[in-house]
């Protein structure tokens, strides 16, 4: 039976008593509100919006404390020129000279999302372009009639993109760090991307096999100029398709500014650190030369140094450059070299 309101009733706050009709009305209103909420949420999460959200949250790199001096700007300008002309740029330089930071900084300036890969021995073409991922495996065992056994396995698979295919499809900037650590065969897929502007997905069939490279796709590759174990010589055909920019260690003033920016050290202390590292760099063999990263590490070590700890500048420098030492004898030689560097720098500064 329907309850009929015969006189107006005003309820302040939550009503204590509700008729069944009021309850129904309230429920349907709640349901409506939930429906609207769900609709607006699902509308906001269509694949395109979701991709944009991901791009904003994860694919815009932050380069902290980046220092620009005339020499940094000059390299940046050359990189931008070639990237704007549609060529991939290959940064070649010794360990810790600033290749990755420069790549990130330049990539960021294009205002496009950035994806990156770190090359290594185990990278395969699938790590670059993606592949099928198994998402559902369903088994049905039908024994409806006792002597008939029906079995069905259903496997649903979905294609998952990796950095190269993402960059080609959506026009992202790709940073491929240390690409010469990857076996050359895995990098073959780049040949048609750079030459014909087409990415071929070898495991796909028909039209899906080819992706036309987005006009805003850009690629910055880095590699080490020093021949280490685990480095493969990239195929000439690939090197021929990109522009090479050799980046050596930065000059004294740039390195000084980088150290001050990263460590907050006073200028005279930062100068000493940079001079010591440059002295060691001039005398150690190629594969053991300390880069700008070593300057920053020594600077940060000095910042933490507590006079009462009894640890000296020499020990801080030794700890930072000791990693690539293979024997006690070599360590002693390095210790001597560090003492020599500290003395030379002190002498030079009149201290
Ligand atoms: N222009 C710069 N401004 C500020 N910091 C910099 C700059 N260039 C390099 N650095 C700093 O120097 C250190 C080494 O730089 P980076 O990692 O880019 O060198 P890399 O050449 O890529 O080294 P690796 O060969 O080991 O990969 C980092 O700590 C980085 O933050
Ligand atoms: Mg690097």
């Amino acid at each position: 039976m329907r309850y009929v309101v015969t006189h107006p009733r005003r309820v302040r706050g939550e009503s204590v008593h509700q008729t069944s009709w009021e309850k129904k009305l309230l429920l349907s209103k709640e349901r409506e509100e939930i429906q609207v909420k769900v609709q607006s949420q699902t509308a906001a999460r269509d694949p395109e919006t979701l991709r944009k959200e991901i791009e904003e949250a994860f694919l815009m790199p932050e380069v902290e404390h980046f220092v620009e001096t005339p020499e940094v700007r000059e390299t940046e300008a050359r990189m931008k020129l070639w990237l704007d002309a549609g060529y991939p740029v290959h940064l070649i330089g010794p360990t810790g000279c600033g290749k990755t930071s420069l790549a990130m900084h330049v990539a960021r300036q294009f205002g496009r999302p950035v994806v990156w890969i770190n090359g290594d021995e185990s990278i395969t073409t699938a790590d670059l372009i993606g592949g099928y991922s198994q998402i559902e495996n369903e088994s049905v065992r039908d024994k409806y009639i006792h002597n008939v056994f029906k079995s069905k396995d259903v496997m649903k698979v979905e294609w998952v993109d990796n950095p190269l295919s993402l960059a080609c499809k959506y026009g992202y900037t790709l940073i491929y760090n240390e690409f010469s650590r990857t076996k050359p065969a895995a990098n073959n897929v780049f040949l048609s991307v750079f030459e014909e502007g087409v990415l071929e997905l070898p495991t796909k069939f028909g039209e899906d096999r080819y992706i036309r490279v987005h006009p805003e796709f850009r690629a910055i590759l880095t590699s080490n100029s020093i021949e280490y174990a685990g480095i493969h010589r990239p195929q000439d055909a690939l090197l021929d398709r990109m522009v090479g920019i050799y980046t050596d260690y930065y000059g004294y003033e740039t390195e000084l500014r980088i150290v001050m920016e990263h460590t907050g050290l006073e200028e005279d202390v930062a100068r000493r650190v940079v001079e010591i590292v440059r002295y060691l760099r001039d005398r150690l063999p190629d594969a053991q030369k300390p880069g700008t990263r070593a300057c920053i590490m020594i600077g940060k070590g000095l910042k933490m140094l507590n006079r009462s700890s009894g640890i000296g500048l020499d020990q801080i420098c030794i700890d930072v450059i000791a990693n690539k030492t293979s024997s006690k004898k070599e360590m002693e030689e390095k210790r001597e070299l560090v003492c020599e560097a500290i003395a030379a720098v002190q002498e030079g500064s009149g201290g």
Side-chain angles (χ1 to χ4, degrees):
M1 194 182 89
R2 178 124 178 231
Y3 172 83
V4 181
V5 185
T6 51
H7 59 274
R9 213 163 45 101
R10 254 195 226 158
V11 180
R12 284 190 187 176
E14 257 323 84
S15 57
V16 178
H17 169 75
Q18 281 163 344
T19 62
S20 58
W21 180 70
E22 278 172 328
K23 276 183 194 164
K24 263 189 206 161
L25 190 72
L26 210 72
L27 264 176
S28 68
K29 263 193 185 158
E30 267 176 21
R31 214 171 288 147
E32 220 172 87
E33 273 170 22
I34 291 171
Q35 235 164 22
V36 170
K37 218 170 158 181
V38 169
Q39 266 168 6
S40 72
Q41 276 182 358
T42 45
R45 308 205 60 82
D46 74 287
E48 192 58 18
T49 323
L50 194 65
R51 185 164 62 78
K52 291 231 159 69
E53 279 174 21
I54 292 172
E55 286 176 1
E56 272 165 34
F58 302 103
L59 303 180
M60 299 309 282
E62 285 295 329
V63 187
E64 282 189 345
H65 309 296
F66 193 81
V67 166
E68 281 183 296
T69 57
E71 69 171 319
V72 179
R73 273 191 222 108
E74 196 261 346
T75 319
E76 264 181 64
R78 273 159 63 206
M79 289 174 69
K80 280 192 246 164
L81 177 144
W82 290 116
L83 289 164
D84 281 338
Y87 290 105
V89 167
H90 174 201
L91 289 180
I92 317 142
T95 313
C97 72
K99 302 178 294 293
T100 306
S101 312
L102 190 61
M104 287 283 194
H105 179 73
V106 170
R108 203 184 140 72
Q109 290 179 41
F110 288 107
R112 298 287 309 146
V114 179
V115 281
W116 53 94
I117 321 163
N118 286 318
D120 82 53
E121 194 75 15
S122 62
I123 294 262
T124 60
T125 302
D127 293 317
L128 303 171
I129 60 170
Y132 289 102
S133 105
Q134 183 180 315
I135 52 166
E136 215 176 302
N137 201 346
E138 185 185 288
S139 300
V140 182
R141 306 272 177 259
D142 185 353
K143 282 170 120 181
Y144 188 64
I145 302 168
H146 80 281
N147 55 355
V148 179
F149 180 78
K150 192 173 130 198
S151 164
K152 188 167 117 187
D153 284 330
V154 184
M155 200 167 76
K156 292 179 186 159
V157 289
E158 192 185 37
W159 177 267
V160 179
D161 283 316
N162 268 347
L164 177 61
S165 46
L166 278 174
C168 290
K169 262 188 205 171
Y170 304 115
Y172 295 167
T173 303
L174 173 79
I175 296 180
Y176 191 173
N177 239 334
E178 306 287 351
F179 85 105
S180 55
R181 287 183 184 275
T182 302
K183 290 189 183 124
N187 287 335
N188 274 343
V189 66
F190 279 95
L191 294 174
S192 65
V193 170
F194 292 160
E195 186 70 34
E196 284 95 26
V198 173
L199 170 68
E200 188 183 355
L201 304 174
T203 47
K204 286 208 171 192
F205 300 100
E207 277 176 26
D208 285 353
R209 195 175 168 93
Y210 302 98
I211 295 179
R212 185 144 294 284
V213 175
H214 192 286
E216 288 197 270
F217 166 78
R218 293 179 183 90
I220 306 175
L221 299 92
T222 77
S223 80
N224 218 296
S225 54
I226 296 159
E227 300 280 324
Y228 292 109
I231 300 259
H232 301 276
R233 184 175 153 68
Q235 53 275 57
D236 277 341
L238 188 54
L239 293 175
D240 281 349
R241 285 163 169 77
M242 45 196 180
V243 168
I245 294 186
Y246 186 84
T247 52
D248 206 344
Y249 299 109
Y250 285 125
Y252 177 75
E253 286 302 326
T254 304
E255 243 183 346
L256 174 66
R257 283 207 43 210
I258 292 176
V259 173
M260 288 172 66
E261 186 66 37
H262 278 265
T263 62
L265 281 177
E266 296 290 327
E267 186 172 332
D268 56 332
V269 187
R271 275 191 191 280
R272 263 180 93 190
V273 172
V274 173
E275 282 167 23
I276 292 170
V277 170
R278 292 174 82 87
Y279 185 98
L280 298 171
R281 194 181 288 160
D282 284 344
R283 286 157 183 85
L284 284 167
D286 273 358
Q288 296 187 23
K289 285 189 192 303
T292 306
R293 191 179 291 117
C295 296
I296 297 171
M297 285 166 86
I298 295 175
K300 285 194 175 166
L302 283 181
K303 264 246 134 155
M304 297 303 293
L305 206 59
N306 184 342
R307 279 190 189 280
S308 60
S309 68
I311 302 171
L313 170 63
D314 54 343
Q315 193 57 56
I316 298 271
C317 296
I318 290 164
D319 290 348
V320 169
I321 64 163
N323 272 320
K324 297 168 190 166
T325 309
S326 53
S327 68
K328 197 172 170 203
K329 184 170 163 279
E330 208 179 293
M331 195 63 249
E332 285 314 313
E333 285 166 10
K334 278 192 181 163
R335 190 179 291 279
E336 269 173 36
L337 192 63
V338 166
C339 294
E340 204 182 290
I342 293 174
V345 165
Q346 225 142 17
E347 218 170 83
S349 65

